[in-house]
Structure formats: structure tokens, C-alpha cells
């Protein structure tokens, strides 16, 4: 993993010293291990992991000789000093490293051939390079009963553990879930949870990545592959809008594992993944995955070849009716652009929209100076407005916790309780009254302020976006959008709006609808969409998973998922990053961009490119927001798209009143409650369903008990949910979980996700 | 006999001083009054420096120097922490102080607190000393009632209080940074140094940590003057020192002697009564067990810091364990190796694994499965521990092992060649004298 | 012990510490006085009273020899086996106590649940070697083998103390 901290050898304030006889320099304060690594000298380490906080000097692997100091010193905890004379390869230093390895191996089972870490194990690797020529230990090794399941996804083999404390420090000091600990003392010490408990949290899988031996391994990955029969590909997590960088491990065409990249993207995820990012890949082969094209003819469904399906789609689209194109939130920039091109050329006059939040008024805040997730660490004040980042843009939680540990003040404002509220000062806003809460904020002075704001919550209250934009502007702060959609920012950069097709369809002005990674009948405004789509005569779907839309489409063309395609996603902070195909799409499916190019060919308007890279270049040439970008510029770590043109924060007035009667509805989300989590077997034991949460006082008023079921009715639709009464949720609102497959809370919402009230009654 | 009861004021007074009035009658709290009314803080620190008093917990660092390291301009409050973990094998001198003379310790802590401008003192007492803890609890309550602790100590403008903190069974918590971790509610595992506690100790605040005996010596230094104190002993080993002596001697116990004035032989034979008839001196671990073991050739070494170092060992905590020729050095060494294995906190690799390995080898030798190369292996493993570990537990914990293998090599060779070491007759049912 | 009882014990001393974490050890020690060892409920109660995670509290407890996460007998006899006591016969004493209590020579809890015998490292009673400690309250020594028998017999029949400080 990250192991060594990045060092800027050109920074100001360099300290000169001697390293293995060479005169070198590194910035003051740099730890010797990091400086040496940057200077081409690898000092072996185990416990050191700069992302976990200050070094603890426990493993003693990094022993080096420093002239004038007694014994050997740990290079991981020794900052460079002017004129220090350091030897990492003298006999005595090497004896130090060799000695520590000998001690570490004393009780290690040396079962590399059957260990999942074999071939990519720092202990194995360092033993080869720095290690003991022989073992002199003749006693019986420490023995534990065989591996323990730390959770449903993490196995612990205590015999292999070298007590480096990395996993414990991650749990205690990074995720702050406080669940993983060291128990007992001395040679009997072992990694554990509270006796009898599982290790549960939003970020648990990271301990697998940082464990330098095979003590913590992934249960879903266990025994599936050896390092030499896999390939690793850097890509992007396609399960939230953060643009988390991942590495896909591929075996026989499938994603066998998702890990953090060996070189993290410090501006984005810093090498930490949520368990959703890490374990959702299993859903790539879920039963609802579309693997064969379908053509429906007079109620009969028949499987077809890809070519035939594309032909059939072209036939339907080319019939001459009025066409609408709906681009879903996981479509890549290329797919969105090719869809636009289709609408512009082959299907001249077709209407096109993205499926997402319209966001009138959000440009006021979006046009304020943007920050990266990596900037949160260094902020003096972090303000979180609306949303629930731990559940929606999970990796943000770790950044905010880190900022708090470094002394930042944290203020949260919003209608729903969430896990970052206890980290700072929590201001609870009344549903639909964020603007008032923002106006009443008394923010402390701070050298630098970062405001994080929730796209959905602020879109529902344009006046709140304006009020927040003014605060950001006045303070010289920067802002980060907590985006709702995976590639919402990418599709917006293409200029795709979010209302046209719905309006036209509702008005009976669409005859044929092409959906691309879009399932409007399962999302917000499902009821409105259902009514509008009822007026459309023919539907064509390009999609990876079955949905209500694909069930009702004349032609269904299976598409590759984000694990299987080239493409660009733009993160919520405006960072364009590349997806790289890890797995191969099922035989009956193809990447969306290929399908769209094929469709354009069939429709007689062939675009002049045949690759995703060229398609992207064309998009970049045509759309100012993408100007200057191409796959090379984006590279491994991504590049920013152009900022939103400044918009005055003034001129938005008054709250938007909610439709309907009853209690204001506050939507909530659960990290393991969405379709991706529900598809993955690995997450089976942590996934959650939908519920209606009420303050006990509301429960009493409505005569609904904890655990009962209730019917919720809004002007848009209704659904039935299990009820939980919870005192930490304020009275005066109904909290219902969205995103859960089949639960139907989306039916209560308008398509633009504006405010609604719900009537609640026993069913 | 060269006994000089300065710190053991209770012995001088001929009674336990667990009642404040008794302590005051024995001259108690005069030193604090003197400091508070006649000396400023710097003068108080300077008196400690001039006294030459060295830390009595084991490392022997000059107390006054350590006090002078406490930064004056810190925005955080300063603390005094009294190390009452007394878990070094063979060491029980602090126990007697807390049991029979608790106010002197409180007075010493208060003096140190005044000198460094601390707001509170903590006494970290080992969990096994529950009886002593209750005596200290009662003493603290009495001192508070009498105005020697709390707002405006003894009518001065100095606010200071003392909290007693009970450990729960872990030798490593005597190591100063592990102690601080434990006092902060964590597992007692040593911290990386630097920063040193004087700069960032308890709750990251400037912290002065001293042993019970060190702090208990402060009232006498203030009362009779630093020069008086420094006039005892040698230039580098001033004052009196409490020795705990135990093992095969006839009169085990605590004895206070002036440093350098007494030799090991005098301590063992004259003060501690020598051995059972027919038995002779075989070995001694003079500074607790974390030191090089000495043989009969060292008997005439004067008991002070420099002479002990010259003899190839150290004064340590002055917990002197003595073995006569009925004992087995090989078994004794194994027993100490077991101690360090049991007490290793497990944080750093060479200590966690090395102490385990050494114990295993010695066990084999005792069991008759030793090999000649084990002796070199012990030496080599120890060499890979010393100077490479996080704290002094293993740094000094290997000393009794390596020194025994060197000094008493014949005994080890004999054990290896003759199928191990049978359990010797223990000294049992012999009345304890003293 | 429940969280309320633990809070009642630690809240009056909270002001003595700059950080509340310092209360974990006093809370654990106090919680243990009820049953003589710490159950999962005790750990959770300490967690609740101090505001730290139960896993963390348990990990702290497991570090210390004198906090017991497994059931113990009504009285705990700790036999010092470190060097000074060993030289004066602690191994024989340990074996005798174990025999009398009916447990293996490594120690353990007697069948009637009255006595736990364990080895201890230096108790700081070397001047009374060989020494034993009963709970953390009384340290006795030097003990002869006959004393050992008498001690076990005495503990078998002695009433349970109100509070068990170990
Ligand atoms: C493993 C270990 C155990 C120690 N145990 C004790 C102890 O029980 N009592 C003590 O006063 N010092 C002990 N020390 C020494 C302390 O770390 C520290 O040096 C001492 O408390 C400083 O006080 P002093 O300068 O007054 O001696 C121990 C050191 C180590 C490495
Ligand atoms: S399980 Fe792995 S990460 Fe955790 S302490 Fe052991 S070796 Fe280190
Ligand atoms: S890497 Fe330096 S001590 Fe572990």
C-alpha cells in the first residue's frame, strides 16, 4: 500500500544530510524512511503507515545506523536533521533489519504457499530482500486454532499476525469505529473485536489492504486466485459520486477483488475505500444482470444477438416518430456525449435529458471556488450542509474525521441525524427550512473554511443554495458538492439538463424512448415517470441490469457495467477520471459507447471515431467544460473539468412549499441499502432494508408502535414501510429510506425531488 | 552499623507516621513551609540540582536536572507523577515508605509540584499494593483537611492536589511512558521518545516523573539543605539510599545506608545477616533483576552508582537479590527470563519475540535439552535486542541472562552436558530475621 | 455491575483528570469488585459510563494481570514465583497450595468455585518470601508448607468479602 509518504524534494526548507555516503537533502520534518524512499533507498517497514497518524515505532523493522546515537534508530520516527550521517546498509544496520525479521518469523507459520497474501506479501518480500539467511528457532511455534472470521468479509489468521498495529490504528484512529483492538499482552497479544462481536462498519475492508502479512484476508476473495493468475487495473469506484480510485483484480475475465490502489490518490480517497466500493463488485454477476439482448414482439419475448438487437433498435428509432433519450446517472461522459450526438445527427430533433436532479439555483453555489476532498484535511472549519455523507459519499467521512483530529471545527446543519453529527457541533434544521438554519449559523473564525453541501437537499431549497453561496463568497471559503449521482457532474458538463424528456413525454410528445443506464420507474418520481412513459409507444433500453423499464422495453440491449468499460466519470468535485475495463462484459453485452456508435452507424450517421478515447476527445472539443482534456491528460490520477461559470447568489427568494399534507418527508439513505449492496453476496450480512423512522412522540400521536408497519401517502404515490421509533430523530418529520430495491419510497417523491408531505397511517 | 535513617524518617522516629500529627511531630511539613515562604520556584529547583539527588527508580537520572527541563512557558498545565509501581523483582523499599511514612511522600510531591509550577500530582501505585493505597488515600484526605493539599497549600498562594491512581498488574507500567499511557486509560505500552515526558508527558503536558523514594527524599533536602545532603556519599552518588535485600540472606529487609560508605559484602553479611551455616555467597543481582549478575569477586564493591558501574553492573533500584551456593544460577536465570517474557508488553518485535525465545532456550537447558550452540544463540539474540527496542524493559531485561551466561558459563555448560538442572533444595521453613 | 453504579463511583473524581479516558481503569477495577471478574455486561457498563467503546475497554482490561475476563473463584490466591521467593521455596509452596485447593500445578479454580490459585510475579514482599497475596488485600509470608494448607482451609470456609479488590 501507500507505505511511504510522498515527499516533495523540491520544496522550500530542505535539510542536508548524509545517506549511505551520499550528500542528499529533504524537506525539514520529513521522516527518514520517507526521505530515503524518495531518494531511492528503501528502508523496510511494517508498522509505519503515514496515513494512520504519527509513527509508533513498534515493529523496529526500519532500524538504521545514525552516527553518534546509541544503538540503532527507527527511521520511521526520526525526522531528518541537518548533517546527520545515516547508514541504512552498514553491517550493523543490516543486522538490525535481519534480526527483526528473524524475530518476526520466529512464530510465523511460513505457510506462504497456502496464504492468500503469498506473492504480494510485504513480509515475504522483505524476508527475501533484507532477511535472515537461516532460522535458528527450534522450539514449537505459537499456535492458535485456525482462522477466525472477524466478520462476514474478513478472516483473521492470528498465527500470521506480526502485531504491527496497523489494523487497530485504522479502526481506532482513522475510521474511528473503535471496534478493532489488541487484546492480551506480550507474545499472547492478538487482534480482536469485543469478544463475540463481528467487525462491522463502513470501512472495515481497509484493514485487509494495510495488513502487511496474510493475517487479515478477504473472505470473498479467499482461495480464488494467486497473484500470478490475476491482472490488476486501476479504475474508479462506480458506486458513489466521490470518484474513489480503486484497483480491480481480474481473473478469467471477472472482477475477483477490488482494493485501494498501491499509489493512492491523495486528492480523493487517500487509499481508503468504503466497504461498498470494495465489496459491491460481486453484484457484477448478480442474477438481475442482463446478459442477452431481448426483442419483444406482440407480447412475445425472444433472445437475439447483439447485432440483431442493435438493428432492431435502429429500426424502431428510425421509424420517424418523436424520440426522447434518457441518460442515467451511471452513464459515462462518452455515453452521454454519443447519446447527444445521436440526438443531434441521426435522430435530429430528439429530446435528451439526464436522469437526475434538475438543480435550478445550484449554479450559485456550484460556481463558488471548488475544493478537493484532500483539502478537507487541512481546513480550519468544515461545514456540512444537509445530506448524510457517511452513507452517501462515505469516504468524505474519513476526511472530516481527519480534519477534526487535526483540530478543525466541524459544524453540521441538516434535517436528518447522521454519523458525522457527533464529530462536531450539530445544528438540526426543520425539514424544508435549511435556508433559515443557514442564515442563523454563527460560524467561528477560521483560517480556511470548506463547505460541503448536499445536492439533493439544496436542490429542494434553491433559496438555501443562494444563502450558502453568499456565506461561501463572503468568507472566501471553498465548497464541495455532495453529489447524489455517480456521474452527475460528467453529464452536466456535457450540458445535459434534467427535465425535457419527462415534460415532453407527459405532454404526449414522445413516441419512442431510448433509455441508457436509466431506470426512471425505480427512482424518484417513479409515479410521475410511470404516467409519462405510459404515453410513449415504444421503448428501447440499453442497460446493465433488469428494471421496470427494461421489463417494458421493446428492445433491450445489455450494456457493460463500469467494471467492464472504458470511459470517464467526473466526480462531484469536478475531477475527470478514467474507468478502465477490468472484467470483460458478458458475451451478449457490450460497452454503452460501442453500442451507441453502432446504433449511429445503423441510423446512417456514423461518427468519425471508433474508440472511447476518440469519443471523449470529440466531447472535449465540443464542450467547453471539458476543454483541454483527453485520456492522456486525465492520466492515472485525473484532471479537473472547467469550473461552473459564476452565477450571482442573489435573486432566489423564499422557501419552496411542500406538496401535500401530513408530516414533511425527509429522505434518508443507507450505505448498504442500495441496489449495489443488495446485489452483492459479500454484503449480505450487513445490508439493510427500508424503514420509516419517527420520533416516539410522533409514533404516539399517530398510534403507530415501534416495529409496526405503516402506509405513507404523498400526492405522488404511496408505499408501506416498517416503522422504527427513535428518540434521536426529531419530531415533526417522517424519515424514510430511499434507494432500497423494491421498497418504493421513491414513489412518494416528485421527479425533481422537491419537498413533499406524507400522511401516515396503519395499513 | 552504617545505617542512616534520613528518608526512613519513621524508623528514626521509631513509629509509623500514618497520622498527620505524628508526622508533624517528627518534623513533617516543615520543609514545605520553608519552601513556600522562603524560596521561589527556581531556588527550589536549584536546591534539588545542588543536592545531587539521583532518581531512585532505577535509571539514576539527576532529579534536579529533570525538574529543570520542565518548560516554563507551556500553555498546558504541568504535572508531577510519582512512580509507585514498584514491580522490579527484589524491590520493596517504596512499599515501606507508603505504608509507614505516606505524608513524607505527599510533602515531597508537593515540593516538586511547587518547584515546577504543577497543578496536580498523581501517584501511580501498583494494583497489588491495595493495602498501601488505602493508607495513601487516608493520608491524602488528612492532608487535604489540614490544608496541605488543595487551594492555597499551607496558606500560600499555591494550589495543588494529589490523585492516587491504582494500576492493575503490569510491570511495564513502571516504565515512565507506559505508566503515562496507563494513567491516561490506555494499555500500558511505552511511547516513542522523544518527546520526553518533561516536554510532553501526561495528557501531552509537561510532566515530572519520579520514583517514590526520590520524591520522599526532597523534604529532607529542603529541611537540612542541599549541601548537607550532597555532603553524604560521593560527588556523583550523593545522599542515602534505601536497599531492599532478599533471597538467601538471613535478615532480608530494607536498609538505608549512605551511598559509597558500605560495600556489598557489608550489606550482605553485616547488615543482612549473611547465610545459613555452611552456605556461601554465590551471586547477587544488586539493582533489582534488570542488571548484570555479580559473583563473589564483586563483594567488595562499594554501593554507589559509579562503583557498581565499574564492577560491570548497576545500582538500579537497589533491590538486592542474593543467592547462596545452594541455588542454581541456571534456574535463577530462567526464572528471570520468564519474568521478562511475562511482562513484555508486546508492542515492539525484538522484546515480544526475543523474551519468548530466550525463555524457551533456557527452559530447554534446564530440562536437559540444551545444546552448546544455545549459549552463542542467547548471546546473539540478546545482541539483536539491546539498543533496538522501544523501551528499557528488554534493553536491561536481557542483562541478567547474558551476564549469567558469561559469568557462570560453567554452570550452563554443566547443565547442557549433564541433562539439565534438578530443582535444588529451597530455603524453606527458615525464620526470617531482621 | 450496571453503568449507573459505575458512574456514581467515577463521576465524583472526573474533575481530577484532564481526559475522561483516565476513568476507564478506576471504573474497571470498581466494576470487578462485585463479582471478582468482569463479565461482558460489566465491560459494556464501563463503556457506557466512560463513553468509550466496549471493544476498547475490553482491550484495556485484557492488558492487566489483575483484571479478570474469565470467572475466578471467590478468593484469588497469587503465589509469587519470582526470584527472591523462588530461592526461598515458592515452587514448593505453589504446588502445595494447588494440591490443597485441588487444582493443577499451573493454578486454576477449585471445583467448589471458592479459590483460584495463580502464579504471580514479584509482589514486592521479598522480605517475607515465600509470599502470597489473597486478592489484592492481604499479603502474607513467609509461608511454610503447613501454612499453605492452613491458608487454603481458611479461605474455603471464610465468608465472601463485600467487595473484591484484586
Ligand atoms: C520496565 C521498566 C520498569 C520500571 N519500573 C519502575 C518502577 O517500578 N518504579 C520506578 O520508580 N521506576 C521504574 N522504572 C524507571 C522509570 O522508567 C523512570 O525512570 C523512573 O520512574 C524515574 O524516576 P526517578 O528518576 O526518580 O528514578 C522502570 C523502568 C523500566 C524500563
Ligand atoms: S492483523 Fe495484520 S495489520 Fe493487524 S496487527 Fe496483525 S499484522 Fe498488523
Ligand atoms: S516501520 Fe519503523 S518501527 Fe515499524
Amino acid at each position: 500500500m501507500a507505505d511511504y509518504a510522498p515527499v516533495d524534494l523540491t520544496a522550500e526548507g530542505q535539510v542536508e544530510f548524509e545517506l549511505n555516503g551520499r550528500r542528499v537533502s529533504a524537506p525539514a520534518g520529513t521522516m527518514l524512511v520517507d526521505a530515503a524512499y524518495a531518494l531511492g533507498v528503501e528502508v523496510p517497514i511494517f508498522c509505519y503507515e503515514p496515513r494512520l497518524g504519527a509513527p509508533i515505532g513498534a515493529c523496529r523493522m526500519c532500524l538504521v545506523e545514525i552516527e553518534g546515537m546509541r544503538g540503532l534508530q527507527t527511521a520511521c520516527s526520526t525526522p531528518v536533521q541537518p548533517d546527520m550521517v545515516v547508514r541504512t546498509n552498514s553491517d550493523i544496520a543490516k543486522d538490525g533489519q535481519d534480526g527483526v525479521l528473524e524475530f518476526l518469523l520466529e512464530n510465523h507459520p511460513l505457510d506462504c504457499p497456502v496464504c492468500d497474501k503469498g506473492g504480494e506479501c510485504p513480509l515475504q518480500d522483505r524476508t527475501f530482500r533484507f532477511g535472515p539467511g537461516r532460522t535458528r528457532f527450534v522450539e514449537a511455534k505459537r499456535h492458535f486454532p485456525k482462522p477466525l472470521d472477524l466478520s462476514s468479509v474478513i478472516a483473521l489468521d492470528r498465527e500470521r499476525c506480526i502485531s504491527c498495529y496497523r489494523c487497530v490504528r485504522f479502526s481506532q484512529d482513522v475510521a474511528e469505529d473503535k471496534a478493532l483492538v489488541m487484546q492480551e499482552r506480550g507474545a499472547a497479544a492478538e487482534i480482536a473485536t469485543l469478544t463475540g462481536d463481528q467487525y462491522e462498519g463502513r470501512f472495515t475492508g481497509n484493514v485487509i489492504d494495510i495488513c502487511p502479512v496474510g493475517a487479515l484476508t478477504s473472505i470473498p476473495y479467499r482461495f480464488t486466485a494467486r497473484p500470478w493468475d490475476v491482472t490488476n487495473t486501476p479504475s474508479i469506484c462506480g458506486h458513489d459520486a466521490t470518484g474513489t480510485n480503486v484497483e480491480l483484480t481480474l481473473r478469467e475475465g471477472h472482477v475477483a477483488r477490488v482494493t485501494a490502489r498501491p499509489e493512492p490518490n491523495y486528492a480523493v480517497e487517500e487509499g481508503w475505500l468504503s466497504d461498498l466500493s470494495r465489496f459491491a463488485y460481486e453484484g457484477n454477476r448478480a442474477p438481475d444482470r442482463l446478459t442477452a439482448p431481448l426483442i419483444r414482439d406482440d407480447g412475445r419475448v425472444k433472445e437475439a444477438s447483439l447485432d440483431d438487437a442493435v438493428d432492431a433498435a435502429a429500426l424502431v428509432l428510425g421509424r420517424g416518430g418523436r424520440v426522447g433519450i434518457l441518460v442515467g446517472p451511471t452513464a459515462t461522459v462518452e455515453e452521454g456525449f454519443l447519446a447527444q450526438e445521436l440526438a443531434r445527427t441521426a435522430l435530429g430533433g430528439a429530446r435528451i435529458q439526464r436522469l437526475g436532479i434538475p438543480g435550478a439555483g445550484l449554479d450559485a453555489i456550484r460556481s463558488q471556488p471548488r475544493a478537493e476532498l484532500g483539502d478537507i484535511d487541512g481546513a480550519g472549519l468544515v461545514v456540512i450542509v444537509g445530506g448524510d455523507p457517511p452513507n452517501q459519499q462515505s469516504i468524505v467521512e474519513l476526511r472530516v474525521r481527519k480534519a477534526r483530529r487535526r483540530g478543525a471545527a466541524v459544524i453540521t446543519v441538516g434535517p436528518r441525524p447522521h454519523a458525522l453529527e457527533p464529530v462536531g457541533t450539530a445544528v438540526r434544521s426543520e425539514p424544508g427550512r435549511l435556508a433559515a438554519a443557514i442564515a442563523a449559523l454563527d460560524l467561528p473564525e477560521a483560517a480556511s473554511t470548506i463547505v460541503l453541501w448536499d445536492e439533493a437537499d439544496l436542490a429542494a431549497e434553491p433559496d438555501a443554495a443562494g444563502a450558502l453561496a453568499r456565506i461561501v463568497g463572503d468568507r472566501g471559503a471553498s465548497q464541495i458538492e455532495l453529489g447524489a449521482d455517480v456521474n452527475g457532474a460528467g453529464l452536466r458538463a456535457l450540458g445535459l439538463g434534467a427535465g425535457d424528456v419527462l415534460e415532453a413525454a407527459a405532454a404526449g410528445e414522445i413516441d419512442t424512448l431510448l433509455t441508457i443506464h436509466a431506470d426512471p420507474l425505480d427512482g424518484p418520481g417513479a409515479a410521475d415517470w410511470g404516467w409519462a412513459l405510459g404515453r410513449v409507444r415504444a421503448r428501447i433500453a440499453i442497460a446493465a441490469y433488469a428494471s421496470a423499464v427494461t421489463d417494458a422495453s421493446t428492445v433491450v440491449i445489455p450494456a457493460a457495467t463500469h467494471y467492464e468499460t472504458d470511459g470517464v466519470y467526473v466526480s462531484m468535485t469536478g475531477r475527470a477520471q478514467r474507468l478502465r475495463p477490468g472484467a470483460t462484459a458478458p458475451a451478449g453485452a457490450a460497452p454503452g459507447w460501442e453500442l451507441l456508435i453502432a446504433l449511429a452507424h445503423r441510423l446512417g450517421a456514423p461518427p468519425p471515431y471508433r474508440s472511447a478515447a476518440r469519443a471523449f476527445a470529440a466531447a472535449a472539443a465540443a464542450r467547453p467544460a471539458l476543454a483541454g482534456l483527453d485520456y492522456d491528460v486525465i492520466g492515472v490520477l485525473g484532471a479537473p473539468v472547467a469550473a461552473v461559470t459564476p452565477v450571482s447568489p442573489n435573486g432566489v427568494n423564499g422557501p419552496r412549499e411542500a406538496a401535500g399534507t401530513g408530516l414533511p418527508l425527509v429522505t434518508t439513505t443507507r450505505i448498504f441499502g442500495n441496489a449495489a449492496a443488495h446485489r452483492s453476496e459479500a454484503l449480505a450480512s450487513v445490508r439493510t432494508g427500508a424503514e420509516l423512522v419517527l420520533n416516539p412522540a410522533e409514533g404516539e400521536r399517530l398510534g403507530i408502535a415501534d416495529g409496526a408497519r405503516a402506509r405513507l401517502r404523498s400526492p405522488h404515490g404511496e408505499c408501506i414501510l416498517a416503522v422504527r421509533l427513535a428518540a434521536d430523530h426529531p419530531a415533526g418529520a417522517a424519515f424514510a429510506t430511499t434507494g432500497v430495491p423494491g421498497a418504493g419510497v421513491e414513489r412518494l417523491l416528485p421527479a425533481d425531488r422537491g419537498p413533499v408531505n406524507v400522511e401516515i397511517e396503519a395499513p | 552499623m552504617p545505617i542512616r535513617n534520613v528518608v526512613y524518617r519513621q524508623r528514626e522516629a521509631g513509629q509509623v507516621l500514618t497520622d498527620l500529627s505524628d508526622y508533624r511531630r517528627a518534623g513533617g511539613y516543615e520543609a514545605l513551609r520553608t519552601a513556600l515562604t522562603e524560596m521561589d520556584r527556581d531556588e527550589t529547583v536549584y536546591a534539588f540540582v545542588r543536592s545531587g539527588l539521583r532518581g531512585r527508580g532505577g535509571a539514576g537520572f539527576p532529579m534536579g536536572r529533570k525538574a529543570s527541563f520542565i518548560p516554563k512557558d507551556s500553555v498546558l498545565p504541568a504535572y508531577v507523577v510519582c512512580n509507585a509501581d514498584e514491580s522490579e523483582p527484589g524491590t520493596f523499599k517504596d512499599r515501606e515508605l507508603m505504608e509507614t511514612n505516606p505524608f513524607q511522600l505527599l510533602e515531597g510531591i508537593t515540593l516538586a509540584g511547587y518547584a515546577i509550577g504543577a497543578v496536580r500530582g498523581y501517584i501511580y501505585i501498583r494494583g497489588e499494593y491495595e493495602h498501601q493505597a488505602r493508607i495513601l488515600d487516608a493520608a491524602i484526605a488528612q492532608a487535604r483537611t489540614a490544608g496541605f493539599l488543595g487551594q492555597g497549600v499551607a496558606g500560600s498562594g499555591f494550589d495543588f492536589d494529589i490523585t492516587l491512581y491504582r494500576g492493575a498488574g503490569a510491570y511495564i507500567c513502571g516504565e515512565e511512558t507506559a505508566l503515562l499511557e496507563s494513567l491516561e486509560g490506555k494499555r500500558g505500552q511505552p511511547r516513542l521518545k522523544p518527546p520526553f515526558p518533561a516536554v510532553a508527558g501526561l495528557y501531552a503536558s509537561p510532566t515530572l516523573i519520579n520514583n517514590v523514594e526520590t520524591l520522599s527524599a526532597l523534604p529532607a533536602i529542603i529541611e537540612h539543605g542541599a549541601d548537607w545532603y550532597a555532603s553524604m556519599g560521593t560527588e556523583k552518588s550523593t545522599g542515602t539510599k534505601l536497599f531492599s535485600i532478599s533471597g538467601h540472606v538471613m535478615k532480608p529487609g530494607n536498609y538505608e545506608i549512605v551511598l559509597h560508605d558500605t560495600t556489598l559484602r557489608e550489606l550482605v553479611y553485616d547488615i543482612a545477616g549473611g547465610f545459613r551455616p555452611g552456605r556461601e555467597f554465590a551471586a547477587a543481582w544488586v539493582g533489582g533483576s534488570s542488571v548484570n549478575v555479580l559473583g563473589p569477586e564483586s563483594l567488595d564493591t562499594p554501593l554507589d552508582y559509579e562503583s557498581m558501574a565499574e564492577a560491570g553492573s548497576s545500582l538500579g533500584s537497589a533491590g538486592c537479590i542474593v543467592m547462596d551456593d545452594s541455588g542454581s544460577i541456571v534456574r535463577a536465570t530462567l526464572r528471570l527470563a520468564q519474568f521478562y517474557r511475562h511482562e513484555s508488553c508486546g508492542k515492539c518485535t525484538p522484546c515480544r519475540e526475543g523474551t519468548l525465545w530466550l525463555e524457551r532456550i533456557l527452559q530447554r537447558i534446564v530440562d536437559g535439552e540444551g545444546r552448546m550452540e544455545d549459549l552463542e544463540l542467547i548471546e546473539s539474540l540478546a545482541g539483536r535486542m539491546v539498543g533496538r527496542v522501544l523501551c528499557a524493559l528488554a534493553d536491561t531485561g536481557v542483562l541478567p541472562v547474558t551476564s549469567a551466561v558469561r559469568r557462570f558459563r560453567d554452570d550452563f555448560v554443566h547443565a547442557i552436558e549433564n541433562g539439565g538442572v534438578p530443582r535444588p533444595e529451597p530455603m524453606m521453613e527458615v525464620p526470617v530475621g531482621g | 455491575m450496571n453503568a449507573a453504579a459505575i458512574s456514581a463511583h467515577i463521576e465524583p473524581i472526573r474533575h481530577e483528570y484532564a481526559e475522561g479516558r483516565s476513568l476507564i481503569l478506576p471504573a474497571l477495577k470498581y466494576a470487578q469488585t462485585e463479582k471478582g471478574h468482569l463479565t461482558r455486561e460489566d465491560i459494556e457498563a464501563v463503556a457506557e459510563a466512560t463513553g468509550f467503546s466496549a471493544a476498547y475497554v475490553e482491550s484495556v482490561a485484557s492488558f492487566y494481570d489483575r483484571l479478570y475476563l474469565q470467572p475466578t473463584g471467590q478468593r484469588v490466591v497469587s503465589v509469587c514465583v519470582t526470584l527472591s521467593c523462588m530461592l526461598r521455596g515458592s515452587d514448593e509452596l505453589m504446588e502445595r497450595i494447588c494440591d490443597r485447593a485441588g487444582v493443577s500445578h499451573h493454578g486454576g479454580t477449585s471445583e467448589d468455585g471458592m479459590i483460584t490459585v495463580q502464579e504471580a510475579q514479584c509482589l514486592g514482599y521479598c522480605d517475607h518470601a515465600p509470599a502470597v497475596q489473597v486478592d489484592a488485600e492481604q499479603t502474607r509470608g513467609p509461608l511454610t508448607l503447613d501454612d499453605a494448607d492452613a491458608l487454603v482451609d481458611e479461605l474455603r470456609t471464610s465468608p465472601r468479602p463485600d467487595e473484591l479488590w484484586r
Side-chain angles (χ1 to χ4, degrees), chain B residues 1-17 22-23 25-28 96-97 100-101 104 220 223-224 228 232 240 242 254-258:
Chain B
M1 238 178 263
I3 297 289
R4 177 102 192 249
N5 289 317
V6 172
V7 175
Y8 273 164
R9 193 190 304 225
Q10 77 283 2
R11 291 195 177 190
E12 187 66 16
Q15 69 171 124
V16 296
L17 300 175
D22 290 337
Y23 179 62
R25 225 170 292 123
E96 181 171 339
L97 276 172
T100 59
N101 194 1
Q104 181 175 272
E223 200 182 332
H224 305 296
W228 163 82
M232 295 184 280
T240 63
L242 306 179
N254 288 315
Y255 303 100
E256 182 168 2
I257 54 184
V258 173

Side-chain angles (χ1 to χ4, degrees), chain A residues 267-349:
Chain A
V268 187
E269 84 298 329
E270 203 189 8
W272 306 130
L273 308 188
S274 72
D275 283 2
L276 183 67
S277 296
R278 185 181 302 273
F279 294 115
Y281 70 90
E282 283 200 331
N284 206 38
R285 293 202 271 169
D288 64 342
R289 182 75 200 273
L290 295 169
T291 52
L294 301 173
I295 298 175
R296 281 193 179 81
D297 202 2
D298 274 346
R300 281 176 301 125
V301 187
K302 70 173 204 292
E303 284 201 7
S305 71
L306 263 181
D307 273 350
D308 290 351
V310 172
D311 281 346
L315 209 66
V316 176
L317 287 168
R319 275 201 303 243
R322 295 160 300 179
V323 174
I325 304 178
L326 191 55
V327 182
T330 59
T332 62
V333 169
E334 291 80 349
E335 288 164 342
F337 178 69
L338 287 164
Q340 287 177 315
E341 286 294 281
L342 206 60
R344 188 176 63 84
T345 59
L347 304 171

